[in-house]
Amino acid sequence: DTWRASSHSHKYYANGKKLSFQQTASGRLLNTGQTLTLGNWRGDNSNHEFGGEMVNLNFYAKELTASEVKTMADDGMCINMVVDQHEEVRLLKWEEIVKQPRSGTITEIDMTGTCASTIATKLPMIILYIKQFAAKLKKAETNLNETAEELTETQLELSEKKETELSLNLKLDNVSSQLNITLVQLNETAEKLLEVSTRLNETEKGLDRAVKELEKYNNTKNKWDWNIFLSEQFINQTVSPEQSEQIRTSWDDIAQKLVGFTITEDLIKFWKIVDCLETEGRPWSMLQSEDYLNQVLTEDLAQQLTSTWDGVSERIAGVTMTKELVDLLNYVSEETNCYCGD
């Protein structure tokens, strides 16, 4: 009796000859987790007892071919009890079945005497089967040894890989530690860079202020109006030290008072009248230059007015102011941008 799950086919044999073929319904499967009963039906149909002899019943893990079934029938049950050519696929074995619990009327049959003569006549074939089985067993043992060697090699490789993995983990830990140190150093560098950047910004602000001061200074240092020396007060006169000091300080007491006023000719005439300083002592002609005349006097212009002659007036003490010298001084100041200060 053979069957195949993939094709749902069921074949019946007797004495090595196929008697019938049955196709089962598609999708029909054997139930798992059930109890296998031999010699009767289970459950409510347990009155169908088997009334015959049963010997050497085996279940195989593959469907035997018609040729294999015929060979087993030709060898007889006695030979199959001694040697099973399909031992490697024998799933449920007769010698295990007879050890299971029994019920009903069962009589054991001693096959020793029955099979003795049969075994004796077929002893060469049995020896051949045993040799074949031994060869298969030897081959299986060889394969097992090879598998054991491969397993040993695999274990050695696994051990080497574990050692390599351990070494790599140690290196990784070392790299991770170095990375953490680098990150700390990077953070410290970033903090220092921030401090330097802050100081740089402060320096840039200071530089901007210095540039503005320098521009302001440059705007004032060359604003000498040498034409004041063409007035009757100075023309063809030698400038005394007292006069040079008076030129430098003459605006200190009045410049702030003029802040907010628009400098006009009439305003200059008015201030000459009300000026507490002797009219000839203050160089009013400075206000008649283009830097001041018709301009609103701002704080910056007032500062420029009071600082114009700082560091210069004392150098002209003892100099006779002729028209030619004044023209030369104007040329030097305006054309060559020469600075005569310290």
Side-chain angles (χ1 to χ4, degrees):
D1 187 8
T2 65
W3 69 92
R4 179 186 293 271
S6 60
S7 61
H8 303 284
S9 60
H10 197 178
K11 301 173 184 178
Y12 297 92
Y13 293 86
N15 298 324
K17 294 181 180 181
K18 186 172 68 173
L19 300 179
S20 65
F21 172 84
Q22 183 180 354
Q23 190 80 30
T24 59
S26 177
R28 184 177 180 182
L29 301 173
L30 292 174
N31 293 328
T32 59
Q34 303 296 317
T35 302
L36 176 63
T37 302
L38 299 177
N40 204 340
W41 288 18
R42 293 185 63 249
D44 297 336
N45 299 315
S46 60
N47 56 348
H48 294 73
E49 296 179 353
F50 175 70
E53 295 179 357
M54 186 181 300
V55 66
N56 207 24
L57 176 63
N58 295 285
F59 289 83
Y60 299 93
K62 75 166 190 172
E63 181 186 13
L64 298 180
T65 65
S67 176
E68 290 171 335
V69 172
K70 185 177 185 306
T71 300
M72 291 176 67
D74 293 343
D75 291 343
M77 64 180 180
C78 294
I79 302 302
N80 290 323
M81 289 177 65
V82 177
V83 178
D84 195 318
Q85 298 184 66
H86 309 287
E87 182 64 29
E88 65 273 11
V89 292
R90 197 159 62 113
L91 189 63
L92 187 57
K93 303 178 181 181
W94 172 249
E95 58 268 26
E96 295 176 352
I97 293 175
V98 295
K99 296 178 183 179
Q100 301 305 313
R102 308 173 186 180
S103 62
T105 303
I106 300 175
T107 302
E108 291 190 6
I109 300 174
D110 186 4
M111 300 292 294
T112 304
T114 305
C115 291
S117 59
T118 303
I119 293 174
T121 57
K122 294 190 176 183
L123 186 59
M125 184 178 63
I126 293 175
I127 293 175
L128 178 61
Y129 285 160
I130 291 175
K131 288 182 177 180
Q132 291 175 346
F133 182 76
K136 291 180 179 179
L137 184 62
K138 183 66 175 178
K139 183 178 180 180
E141 183 180 4
T142 302
N143 292 336
L144 181 61
N145 290 334
E146 291 176 354
T147 303
E149 291 178 359
E150 291 177 357
L151 178 60
T152 301
E153 292 177 358
T154 302
Q155 289 176 338
L156 290 175
E157 291 178 1
L158 180 61
S159 178
E160 292 176 356
K161 289 184 181 299
K162 286 184 178 180
E163 292 179 359
T164 303
E165 181 183 7
L166 180 60
S167 176
L168 290 175
N169 286 334
L170 292 175
K171 291 181 180 180
L172 181 61
D173 291 339
N174 185 33
V175 171
S176 179
S177 299
Q178 292 178 351
L179 180 61
N180 290 333
I181 294 173
T182 303
L183 289 174
V184 171
Q185 294 174 344
L186 183 61
N187 290 333
E188 293 176 352
T189 302
E191 292 177 357
K192 292 180 180 179
L193 181 61
L194 181 61
E195 293 177 0
V196 172
S197 178
T198 301
R199 291 198 299 268
L200 180 60
N201 290 335
E202 293 175 354
T203 302
E204 288 179 350
K205 292 179 181 178
L207 182 61
D208 289 339
R209 289 193 296 269
V211 169
K212 291 179 180 179
E213 290 294 330
L214 181 60
E215 290 176 349
K216 180 179 177 181
Y217 174 72
N218 287 334
N219 289 335
T220 58
K221 72 175 186 177
N222 293 326
K223 297 299 180 179
W224 307 310
D225 186 5
W226 298 103
N227 290 327
I228 64 172
F229 294 101
L230 296 178
S231 64
E232 294 180 0
Q233 181 181 0
F234 299 106
I235 191 66
N236 297 321
Q237 301 292 326
T238 299
V239 180
S240 65
E242 291 79 13
Q243 285 178 314
S244 70
E245 178 65 15
Q246 191 178 52
I247 291 172
R248 188 184 67 81
T249 61
S250 61
W251 297 106
D252 291 350
D253 61 339
I254 195 172
Q256 286 297 321
K257 296 179 181 179
L258 294 175
V259 173
F261 285 93
T262 299
I263 306 301
T264 63
E265 293 287 356
D266 291 338
L267 181 65
I268 294 174
K269 292 178 180 179
F270 172 76
W271 275 102
K272 282 183 177 181
I273 295 173
V274 301
D275 190 7
C276 296
L277 189 67
E278 293 182 5
T279 302
E280 295 300 326
R282 201 185 309 276
W284 288 100
S285 60
M286 282 182 64
L287 296 181
Q288 293 174 327
S289 69
E290 61 181 11
D291 290 331
Y292 303 103
L293 191 62
N294 297 320
Q295 304 290 331
V296 176
L297 193 71
T298 62
E299 291 284 350
D300 290 341
L301 287 176
Q303 178 64 28
Q304 176 179 310
L305 188 63
T306 58
S307 62
T308 296
W309 296 103
D310 289 350
V312 178
S313 60
E314 64 269 22
R315 299 193 178 196
I316 60 175
V319 177
T320 300
M321 290 298 177
T322 64
K323 184 178 184 308
E324 290 78 11
L325 179 59
V326 171
D327 290 341
L328 177 61
L329 290 172
N330 279 327
Y331 172 78
V332 171
S333 296
E334 295 177 5
E335 299 299 329
T336 66
N337 199 28
C338 177
Y339 174 48
C340 298
D342 291 334

